[in-house]
């Protein structure tokens, strides 16, 4: 190495400490050509039993190499990645060339950073620069640089790469700047979209001209505070120096790890407790599977649940009596008089007679101007009527608005009473329990049907699993470089099994030639497939179905077991709820009756 590199390695080996070595493959000794001679190499820890980070955050890779790891494992990995950044930063150094190939992950979620000899190292005030970088990990404010030669990077630049890695980890390998263009000129190149802060998952992404890819994990899976951290990292504020630091990410992720819950359908579905429903189940309904329950350890157990007995208890709960609510028609009210400034019908007639009388007198006194007098009389006659009509129309409109508001309030209370205390609300709840009864009754048949379908689809499933072992990131496909591979990953296309013409055409910039190149690559992979009839239906496949339906059974049984008590409680509380609502009912009914009477005064 040149003298500068020798000086850098010499300092790094002398500065090694326990904390650095825990997270970084850091030079520990230098090798010399002879005693006191120049540095010709260095020693660092050998990283074993660890895989590149993309094999953890890529759903396709994870299914093969980390099949039993759920989202909570990914949170641990994200936390440890942030801790590796924090370790480097607290020593005064900058990683610089942040990319997915520099982070090695173990099955225990521990992280080791490699390629540390390329870091930007601060040797007691002397900066040894990092002069390399990967374009789709480069922050927006540096995208215009033609080279990193002689350029000093900052911790804030590192924090862009950190946020991007954490986004990859938590959101299935998707790139935050790759999405669906909402206007022309967007989505042509990933580097250009990064440069222009086109964060596809931003709350203001429509103004940025880009939206998230279809069937992607929504940012709402995270608490608002963490979603805001990504927004700061990827938008203009972050470029101004306000990107979340590694320590802030550690604190946020540690807090989230303490607020997780598991789905009742499968233990592989772990998600934040602020969500009302499992997001992984919702994505699976769209055909997107991020975490697979292998079903290897399935054991059939008896719950002691007797469907007929429980359904009998549900049927035995009587329906609440019909509601007896106040009827507005039964209220006797007196209409409010018209405002004093409104000209009434009698007064209009009087004024018109006065106008006619004046006109007659004028004509009799000055017969030569009878025509003009007649025109003036007609004008006065019409004007008096128009003034009165305008005033009455305004008051009529006002009273109609009051009537509509009173009717809506009354109807709202009636609807609330029906849902909370009436037979209607009771029957809605009972209908839901009836749906659960039917589903539970048919569960064994549905399970058998799904296992039978496994037999008929054996060839397709084997072929899909085979194609799922051919990864795009390790393939050589004409015209598909690292940036386009990142775009493919962002649209959920990681292996040959994910490739379809329709999915490729969803990605902006993938025209006929690129689409054909990828389809040809998939076809070349498929030609190597050989069907194995002996493995048509494995115990793993069968047990996965059994576990799925066993989980459904547990949920349905728990729902139906609680149903009699819930219906009884509804019935018992119905009377109390009506009593509590009675004053509101009477006030609303009286208000409605008054509004109808007031309007009738003018119609």
């Amino acid at each position: 190495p040149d003298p500068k590199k020798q000086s850098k390695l010499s300092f790094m080996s002398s500065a090694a400490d326990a904390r650095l070595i825990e997270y970084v493959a850091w030079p520990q000794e230098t090798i010399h050509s002879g005693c006191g001679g120049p540095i010709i190499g260095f020693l660092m820890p050998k990283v074993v039993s660890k895989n590149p980070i993309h094999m953890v955050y890529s759903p396709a890779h994870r299914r093969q190499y980390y099949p039993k790891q759920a989202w909570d494992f990914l949170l641990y990995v994200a936390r440890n990645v942030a801790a590796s950044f924090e370790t480097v930063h607290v020593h005064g150094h900058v990683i610089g060339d942040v990319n997915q190939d520099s982070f090695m992950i173990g099955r225990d979620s521990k992280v080791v950073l490699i390629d540390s000899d390329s870091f930007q190292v601060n040797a007691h005030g002397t900066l040894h620069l990092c002069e390399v970088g990967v374009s789709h990990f480069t922050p927006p404010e540096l995208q215009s640089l033609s080279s990193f030669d002689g350029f000093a990077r900052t911790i804030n630049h590192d924090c862009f790469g950190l946020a991007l890695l954490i986004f990859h980890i938590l959101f299935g390998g998707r790139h935050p700047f790759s999405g669906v263009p909402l206007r022309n000129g967007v989505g042509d190149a990933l580097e250009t979209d990064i440069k222009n802060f086109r964060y596809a998952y931003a709350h203001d992404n429509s103004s940025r001209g880009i939206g998230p890819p279809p069937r992607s994990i929504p940012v709402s899976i995270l608490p608002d505070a963490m979603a805001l951290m990504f927004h700061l990292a990827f938008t203009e504020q972050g470029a101004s120096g306000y990107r979340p630091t590694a320590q802030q990410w550690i604190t946020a992720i540690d807090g989230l790890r303490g607020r997780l819950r598991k789905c009742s359908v499968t233990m592989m579905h772990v998600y934040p407790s602020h969500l009302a429903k499992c997001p992984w189940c919702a994505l699976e309904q769209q055909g997107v599977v991020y975490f697979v329950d292998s079903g290897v350890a399935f054991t059939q157990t008896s719950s002691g649940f007797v469907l007929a007995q429980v359904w009998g208890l549900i049927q035995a709960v009587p329906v609440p009596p019909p509601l007896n609510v106040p009827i507005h028609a039964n209220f006797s009210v007196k209409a409010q008089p018209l405002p004093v400034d409104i000209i009434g019908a009698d007064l209009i007639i009087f004024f018109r007679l006065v106008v006619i009388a004046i006109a007659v007198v004028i004509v009799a006194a000055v017969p030569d101007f009878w025509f003009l007098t007649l025109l003036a009389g007609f004008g006065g006659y019409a004007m008096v009527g128009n003034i009165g009509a305008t005033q009455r129309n305004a008051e009529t409109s006002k009273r109609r608005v009051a009537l509509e508001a009173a009717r809506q309030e009354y109807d709202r209370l009636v609807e609330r009473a029906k849902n909370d205390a009436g037979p209607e609300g009771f029957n809605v709840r009972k209908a839901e329990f009836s749906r659960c009864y039917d589903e539970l009754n048919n569960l064994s048949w549905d399970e058998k049907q799904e296992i039978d379908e496994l037999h008929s689809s054996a060839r397709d499933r084997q072929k899909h699993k085979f194609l799922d072992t051919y990864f795009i990131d390790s393939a050589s496909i004409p015209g598909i470089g690292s940036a386009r591979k990142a775009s493919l990953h962002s649209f959920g296309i990681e292996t040959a099994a994910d490739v379809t013409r329709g999915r490729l055409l969803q990605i902006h910039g993938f025209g006929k030639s690129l689409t054909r190149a990828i389809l040809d690559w998939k076809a070349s992979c498929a030609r190597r497939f050989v069907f194995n009839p002996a493995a048509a239906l494995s115990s793993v496949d069968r047990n996965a179905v059994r576990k799925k339906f066993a989980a459904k059974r547990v949920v349905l049984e728990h729902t139906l077991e609680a149903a009699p008590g819930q219906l009884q409680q509804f019935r018992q509380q119905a009377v109390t709820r009506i009593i509590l609502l009675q004053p509101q009912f009477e006030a609303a009914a009286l208000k409605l009756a008054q509004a109808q009477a007031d309007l009738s005064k003018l119609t």
Side-chain angles (χ1 to χ4, degrees):
D2 60 36
K4 285 185 178 180
K5 190 62 175 282
Q6 290 191 50
S7 174
K8 181 179 184 179
L9 291 171
S10 178
F11 169 80
M12 290 180 75
S13 63
S14 67
D17 62 24
R19 186 172 178 188
L20 272 172
I21 294 170
E22 181 182 3
Y23 284 102
V24 186
W26 189 268
Q28 296 180 20
E29 297 286 347
T30 52
I31 301 174
H32 302 256
S33 59
C35 183
I39 295 173
I40 61 171
F42 57 90
L43 300 175
M44 61 167 58
K46 182 178 182 179
V47 179
V48 295
S49 302
K50 286 179 169 55
N51 292 311
I53 194 170
H54 72 269
M55 297 179 73
V56 175
Y57 65 62
S58 155
H61 279 291
R62 191 173 61 252
R63 284 195 292 270
Q64 296 193 31
Y65 296 99
Y66 299 83
K68 297 181 181 179
Q69 302 298 350
W71 200 65
D72 53 345
F73 174 77
L74 298 182
L75 281 174
Y76 277 103
V77 172
R79 192 261 183 215
N80 290 337
V81 167
S84 70
F85 274 78
E86 173 64 12
T87 299
V88 174
H89 293 167
V90 81
H91 282 78
H93 313 311
V94 175
I95 296 172
D97 181 22
V98 178
N99 65 79
Q100 72 273 18
D101 294 324
S102 298
F103 295 81
M104 308 297 289
I105 313 298
R107 296 189 180 278
D108 56 0
S109 81
K110 289 187 176 180
V111 174
V112 173
L113 253 169
I114 62 173
D115 296 334
S116 61
D117 55 308
S118 71
F119 288 4
Q120 178 177 292
V121 173
N122 186 345
H124 304 305
T126 299
L127 283 184
H128 297 280
L129 303 178
C130 172
E131 298 183 329
V132 291
V134 175
S135 62
H136 54 278
F137 272 85
T138 300
E141 63 271 25
L142 303 186
Q143 285 288 337
S144 298
L145 292 177
S146 58
S147 169
F148 290 109
D149 292 349
F151 184 82
R153 305 196 213 191
T154 68
I155 287 176
N156 193 56
H157 295 147
D158 260 10
C159 288
F160 175 83
L162 169 59
L164 203 154
L165 279 173
I166 294 175
F167 194 92
H168 277 338
I169 295 167
L170 300 186
F171 293 91
R174 308 288 176 115
H175 196 288
F177 292 84
S178 179
V180 178
L182 304 178
R183 63 170 182 254
N184 293 333
V186 175
D188 296 331
L190 185 57
E191 294 84 353
T192 304
D193 291 330
I194 295 172
K195 180 181 178 180
N196 290 285
F197 301 98
R198 293 169 184 156
Y199 173 36
Y201 300 76
H203 57 74
D204 58 348
N205 58 6
S206 59
S207 64
R208 299 176 186 276
I210 193 167
R215 309 189 306 171
S216 53
I217 302 171
V219 177
S220 58
I221 193 175
L222 295 175
D224 290 343
M226 279 191 72
L228 179 60
M229 290 174 73
F230 281 119
H231 190 86
L232 287 173
F234 299 139
T235 58
E236 293 81 354
Q237 284 178 279
S240 302
Y242 295 101
R243 291 189 179 110
T245 64
Q247 183 56 57
Q248 287 172 326
W249 280 113
I250 293 170
T251 302
I253 294 171
D254 282 344
L256 180 58
R257 283 170 47 210
R259 302 190 302 274
L260 298 176
R261 64 171 62 164
K262 289 188 176 181
C263 175
S264 59
V265 174
T266 169
M267 299 295 281
M268 287 294 290
H269 287 183
V270 180
Y271 59 95
S273 58
H274 75 278
L275 298 174
K277 295 181 180 179
C278 174
W280 311 118
C281 286
L283 285 164
E284 286 185 6
Q285 290 172 4
Q286 301 176 41
V288 183
V289 179
Y290 281 98
F291 304 99
V292 178
D293 193 334
S294 64
V296 176
F298 174 73
T299 303
Q300 184 70 53
T301 58
S302 175
S303 64
F305 178 87
V306 180
L307 180 58
Q309 182 179 10
V310 172
W311 186 244
L313 293 173
I314 292 172
Q315 293 289 77
V317 181
V319 179
L323 294 176
N324 183 19
V325 299
I327 306 298
H328 56 86
N330 295 337
F331 284 79
S332 178
V333 294
K334 184 179 180 181
Q336 294 184 27
L338 297 179
V340 295
D341 57 342
I342 290 183
I343 302 175
D346 294 341
L347 201 55
I348 289 173
I349 293 172
F350 171 76
F351 283 142
R352 282 178 168 173
L353 290 174
V354 170
V355 169
I356 292 170
I358 293 172
V360 169
V361 170
I362 294 174
V363 169
V366 191
D368 292 340
F369 295 98
W370 68 270
F371 183 71
L372 293 177
T373 303
L374 187 61
L375 285 178
F378 274 121
Y381 185 91
M383 183 178 67
V384 170
N386 287 339
I387 292 172
T390 299
Q391 292 176 332
R392 289 172 66 84
N393 288 342
E395 183 65 17
T396 300
S397 177
K398 177 181 175 182
R399 296 193 179 195
R400 278 185 178 143
V401 169
L403 175 60
E404 183 59 28
R407 181 177 288 113
Q408 288 182 4
E409 175 65 12
Y410 180 81
D411 291 344
R412 185 187 65 80
L413 283 171
V414 171
E415 192 64 26
R416 178 181 169 188
K418 287 179 178 179
N419 291 332
D420 293 351
E424 296 85 355
F426 181 91
N427 288 329
V428 166
R429 288 159 176 77
K430 192 170 180 180
E432 178 61 23
F433 297 138
S434 180
R435 185 198 62 77
C436 293
Y437 170 83
D438 292 338
E439 187 175 351
L440 187 56
N441 220 15
N442 296 324
L443 210 58
S444 297
W445 170 255
D446 293 339
E447 181 180 332
K448 180 181 180 301
Q449 288 287 98
E450 191 155 325
I451 290 176
D452 289 344
E453 288 175 8
L454 289 178
H455 284 282
S456 61
S457 62
R459 182 182 182 85
D460 290 339
R461 286 185 295 104
Q462 273 192 30
K463 186 175 182 180
H464 187 277
K465 287 181 180 179
F466 176 80
L467 292 176
D468 216 24
T469 63
Y470 287 86
F471 293 93
I472 286 175
D473 54 18
S474 58
S476 178
I477 306 173
I480 308 298
S482 59
R484 292 201 182 277
K485 287 180 179 180
S487 295
L488 287 166
H489 288 184
S490 293
F491 281 76
I493 303 174
E494 300 183 77
T495 70
D498 299 323
V499 172
T500 66
R501 182 181 297 275
R503 295 184 72 177
L504 290 172
L505 292 176
Q506 289 180 326
I507 308 175
H508 185 74
F510 279 72
K512 290 183 179 180
S513 60
L514 290 180
T515 298
R516 172 48 54 195
I518 297 173
L519 290 173
D520 287 346
W521 169 74
K522 177 181 179 178
S524 70
C525 298
R527 284 193 289 271
R528 303 170 196 173
F529 169 70
V530 178
F531 176 56
N532 180 10
L537 183 61
S538 68
S539 59
V540 172
D541 292 330
R542 191 188 301 272
N543 285 340
V545 174
R546 288 175 173 172
K547 282 194 73 173
K548 170 185 169 182
F549 280 90
K552 282 186 177 182
R553 185 177 298 278
V554 169
V555 173
L556 292 169
E557 287 180 358
H558 286 174
T559 300
L560 290 173
E561 278 181 327
Q566 291 177 7
L567 292 175
Q568 286 283 11
Q569 186 180 31
F570 182 95
R571 191 176 189 284
Q572 291 167 2
Q573 293 178 350
V575 175
T576 303
R577 287 172 178 156
I578 287 297
I579 292 173
L580 292 174
L581 286 173
Q582 194 68 21
Q584 296 179 53
F585 260 127
E586 291 182 356
L590 179 60
K591 189 175 180 180
L592 178 56
Q594 184 66 60
Q596 287 180 327
D598 293 345
L599 182 60
S600 66
K601 186 80 173 176
L602 286 159
T603 57

